Amino acid sequence: MTNIYNDIIYPAYQSGKHLFAMLIDPDKCSEERMSAIKNAMAEYTPDLILIGGSLVMNSTSDAVLTCQKFFPKTHTILFPGDDSQLTPIADAIMVLSLISGRNPEYLIGQHVRASVKIKKMGLQTIPTGYILIDGGRTTAVQYISNSMPIPSDKIEIAVATALASEQLGHKMVYLEAGSGASNHVPTDMIRAVRQSINIPLIVGGGLKNANDIKEVFNAGANIVVVGSAIEHNPEMAKTLCTQY
């Protein structure tokens, strides 16, 4: 069995290879939408598919099955907003600790409730320090988690938070502007964080076009995550997927 972190993510980080991850909201994961994305991508595929959201009403299992149907060679990773979004049919779970906030529910509370379920499901776990950055508007993750994002000009706070994540033993750091953010994480901040840590760096939120993705990769992101841009316009999928 492929260990997604040890066999894919970390070797890519070590070799300098960029990875493209597509974020899928289970509430918007219809077969029609996934078929449109698949057709737009043609022979290309995302390196990873993240599945989840801050607030999900539909079945996460159904979303995973749909993604696996249209992208059978791409690994699916749960990106859960809470413990109701767990399913054993995904390949792994990104265990997110929202370390930029001070809400204990998202620092450890949800994790305690989910821990036994995750073990019983046999899911591969990828501990990840999740750092919310101000993207110019109030996003769902900010509202649901009741946590303030780090201001986009406070690079030193982002760096210190990312370092704390690595020192706590997280395997990845995720800089997130939030789904549908007006602005993506500033490149100066990405560059400073990348230079300060020795684990893979993920950047998502507010990435709207090919130029945004190039900027973020050039600044030092190892993995970029795109959700809303493809969700709103599946025809962009191929363009965004091939910008690295």
Side-chain angles (χ1 to χ4, degrees), residues 159 163 188-198 201 219-220:
V159 167
L163 278 169
D188 287 350
M189 180 178 285
I190 297 169
R191 190 172 296 109
V193 170
R194 173 68 281 155
Q195 292 171 352
S196 301
I197 60 174
N198 295 299
L201 176 61

Side-chain angles (χ1 to χ4, degrees), residues 43-124:
E43 72 274 21
Y44 296 96
T45 59
D47 296 298
L48 302 166
I49 296 178
L50 308 186
I51 301 170
S54 299
L55 182 65
V56 170
M57 301 298 179
N58 291 342
S59 166
T60 303
S61 293
D62 288 348
V64 172
L65 287 171
T66 301
C67 290
Q68 291 172 342
K69 174 181 177 180
F70 288 96
F71 295 96
K73 295 182 180 180
T74 301
H75 292 291
T76 53
I77 302 175
L78 297 181
F79 184 71
D82 57 54
D83 65 325
S84 70
Q85 297 176 34
L86 304 181
T87 174
I89 62 174
D91 297 308
I93 180 170
M94 198 177 288
V95 182
L96 302 165
S97 184
L98 208 170
I99 55 175
S100 56
R102 298 297 180 266
N103 185 342
E105 182 68 12
Y106 293 92
L107 285 168
I108 188 61
Q110 287 287 338
H111 311 73
V112 172
R113 279 196 290 277
S115 61
V116 175
K117 297 177 186 177
I118 290 171
K119 183 174 183 178
K120 287 181 177 179
M121 289 178 180
L123 285 166
Q124 295 179 29

Side-chain angles (χ1 to χ4, degrees), residues 3-18:
N3 183 297
I4 296 173
Y5 183 80
N6 292 339
D7 298 336
I8 298 175
I9 295 175
Y10 197 74
Y13 157 69
Q14 287 185 307
S15 66
K17 177 185 177 182
H18 294 148

